Amino acid sequence: MDIFISLLKAFLVGGVLCLIGQLLIDLTRLTPARILTIYVVVGVILGAVGVDEPFAQWAGAGATVPLTGFGNLLAKGVREAVAERGVIGAFTGGFTAAAGGISAAIVFGLLAALVFKSKEKF
C-alpha cells in the first residue's frame, strides 16, 4: 500500500506541475522555451532556500523528474563543487552533477533518430 501512495503523490505533483505549465502557455504570451527556463530557475531558487529537498523527499519522482528537479540538481552540484574546489566549482559543478542525465538524453535522442524516420509537417 505504501508504494501506491508514493506513486499517487508522484503522479499528482507531476500533474500539477504540468498543469501550471499548460496554464502558462494558454493564458500568457510566454513561449514554451521561456516556461521551461522558468521551471529550471524556480528549481534552483527552491533548492537555494532549502525547500526543494524536503519537497522532493515527500513527492518523489513527481518533484525530481520535471525541470524543477533539474534546476535543483544543477544548484546542488554547484554548491558541492564550490565547497570542494572553490570558485572554479561554480563553473564546473552544474556540468558534473547533470552529466549523466544530459548524456542519457543525447544517447536516447540519437537512438530515436536512428530508429524513426522523420517527415516534414505540412
Side-chain angles (χ1 to χ4, degrees):
M1 190 66 174
D2 189 41
I3 189 81
F4 177 74
I5 299 298
S6 296
L7 291 172
L8 183 64
K9 285 193 284 189
F11 177 78
L12 292 175
V13 170
V16 167
L17 289 172
C18 290
L19 174 69
I20 292 168
Q22 188 63 48
L23 288 173
L24 287 172
I25 289 172
D26 291 344
L27 302 176
T28 68
R29 299 186 80 166
L30 293 172
T31 63
R34 288 185 178 169
I35 294 169
L36 296 176
T37 304
I38 289 169
Y39 269 126
V40 172
V41 171
V42 166
V44 169
I45 292 169
L46 290 176
V49 298
V51 174
D52 195 66
E53 195 67 34
F55 180 63
Q57 289 291 327
W58 179 80
T64 58
V65 171
L67 285 172
T68 53
F70 180 70
N72 182 47
L73 176 70
L74 290 174
K76 186 177 178 182
V78 169
R79 276 193 311 271
E80 291 173 0
V82 167
E84 288 179 14
R85 296 183 207 113
V87 175
I88 196 73
F91 300 105
T92 62
F95 293 118
T96 305
I102 293 171
S103 298
I106 291 170
V107 168
F108 288 118
L110 176 64
L111 289 175
L114 292 173
V115 171
F116 299 102
K117 185 177 179 183
S118 63
K119 299 177 187 175
E120 286 189 36
K121 293 183 180 180
F122 295 103

